[in-house]
């Protein structure tokens, strides 16, 4: 719908809502009837073309004016002012007002969903990765510690731990000494009984000989 408001002349303050094809003039069939002497009986007509409103002169005496220029027709824009003869009119396009109202959110209406966002995963070891989240979920920032993967294993190479080699060497030497000390006992336990007896007798004779030699040496030194 098109609305015209009279701003000057004897009909100042009058308003009229016009449809496609409505006429403006002094005639009784006019959609907007004006009584000013400068207005013809059928002064102008309004019409819409593909959603655009136009004011078309109908061969009036005093014409249709765009500012100081007389025109045969004039494209109408919301809130503009036009002049017919000596009468100034203001244009209001109800379609434009309806569009403004439609674009205004209603009171109590649920908020519009927020646009989709991506959460960012940060790693202390460096680098970042993006993970897609739901549209209504706030952006989440998740931290992961990648330094654990870079931590060297508990068992380091032997070349990097010389104290381990030293302990192993000392333990090996102690084992060898114990084995050498018990070698004779292990071999004796595996010999037959008579052989062990002969060996023990030999040992006793050798010990007695050594003892006798020592005693003779002591006597000779005293004499």
């Amino acid at each position: 719908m098109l609305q015209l408001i009279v701003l000057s002349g004897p009909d100042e303050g009058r308003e009229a809502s016009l449809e496609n094809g409505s006429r403006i003039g002094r005639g009784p069939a006019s959609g907007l009837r004006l009584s000013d002497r400068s207005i013809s009986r059928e002064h102008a007509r309004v019409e819409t073309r593909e959603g655009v409103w136009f004011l078309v002169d109908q061969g009036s005496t005093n014409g249709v004016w765009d500012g100081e220029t007389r025109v045969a027709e004039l494209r109408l824009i919301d809130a503009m002012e036009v002049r017919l003869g000596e009468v100034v009119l203001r244009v209001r396009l109800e379609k434009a007002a309806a569009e403004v109202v439609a674009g205004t959110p209603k009171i109590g209406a649920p908020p519009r969903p927020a646009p989709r966002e991506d959460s960012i995963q940060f790693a202390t070891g460096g680098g970042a990765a993006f993970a897609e989240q739901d549209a209504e979920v706030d952006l989440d920032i998740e931290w992961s510690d990648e330094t654990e993967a870079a931590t060297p294993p508990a068992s380091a190479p032997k070349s990097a731990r010389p104290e381990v080699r030293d302990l192993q060497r000392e333990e090996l030497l102690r084992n060898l000494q114990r084995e050498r000390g018990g070698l004779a006992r292990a071999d004796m336990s595996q010999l037959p009984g008579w052989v062990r007896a002969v060996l023990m007798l030999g040992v006793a004779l050798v010990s007695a000989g050594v003892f006798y030699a020592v005693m003779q040496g002591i006597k000779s030194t005293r004499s």
Side-chain angles (χ1 to χ4, degrees):
M1 296 290 290
L2 172 68
Q3 186 178 23
L4 295 179
I5 304 172
V6 183
L7 301 180
S8 65
D11 302 307
E12 181 178 356
R14 180 178 295 179
E15 300 180 6
S17 296
L18 306 180
E19 299 178 352
N20 183 29
S22 296
R23 299 180 181 273
I24 304 170
R26 295 176 62 186
S30 301
L32 175 59
R33 188 175 182 181
L34 301 174
S35 58
D36 191 270
R37 293 181 179 181
S38 63
I39 302 299
S40 301
R41 184 177 180 85
E42 292 185 4
H43 198 105
R45 182 182 76 254
V46 294
E47 58 184 52
T48 178
R49 305 169 192 167
E50 297 181 356
V52 180
W53 286 93
F54 291 87
L55 180 63
V56 183
D57 190 356
Q58 296 297 294
S60 63
T61 303
N62 296 309
V64 175
W65 298 81
D66 181 12
E68 299 298 327
T69 304
R70 181 169 180 171
V71 295
E73 67 178 31
L74 178 64
R75 178 178 178 177
L76 301 179
I77 302 174
D78 185 54
M80 73 179 300
E81 294 182 0
V82 298
R83 182 164 59 89
L84 278 64
E86 299 296 332
V87 178
V88 178
L89 306 175
R90 175 171 294 166
V91 178
R92 292 298 303 272
L93 297 180
E94 296 183 3
K95 180 179 179 180
E99 291 176 351
V100 174
V101 174
T104 305
K106 296 181 179 180
I107 299 176
R112 297 179 180 177
R116 297 184 64 85
E117 298 179 351
D118 293 336
S119 67
I120 306 177
Q121 292 182 347
F122 294 92
T124 56
F130 294 88
E132 185 176 348
Q133 298 292 334
D134 292 337
E136 298 181 356
V137 180
D138 294 335
L139 180 64
D140 295 332
I141 302 179
E142 301 177 0
W143 296 83
S144 60
D145 190 359
E146 293 183 356
T147 55
E148 296 179 359
T151 304
S155 58
K158 293 183 179 181
S159 59
R161 303 179 62 182
E163 65 278 3
V164 176
R165 296 203 310 269
D166 296 340
L167 294 175
Q168 291 177 350
R169 188 183 299 108
E170 294 177 359
E171 183 66 21
L172 180 60
L173 292 176
R174 286 196 295 268
N175 292 337
L176 290 176
Q177 291 175 358
R178 286 195 296 269
E179 290 178 358
R180 289 176 181 176
L183 181 60
R185 291 192 296 271
D187 292 342
M188 289 292 293
S189 62
Q190 296 177 1
L191 295 175
W194 65 273
V195 176
R196 291 200 301 269
V198 172
L199 290 176
M200 293 177 63
L201 180 60
V203 171
L205 292 176
V206 171
S207 300
V210 171
F211 179 75
Y212 178 77
V214 171
M215 294 300 295
Q216 292 297 324
I218 292 174
K219 288 182 180 181
S220 62
T221 55
R222 288 181 179 179
S223 62

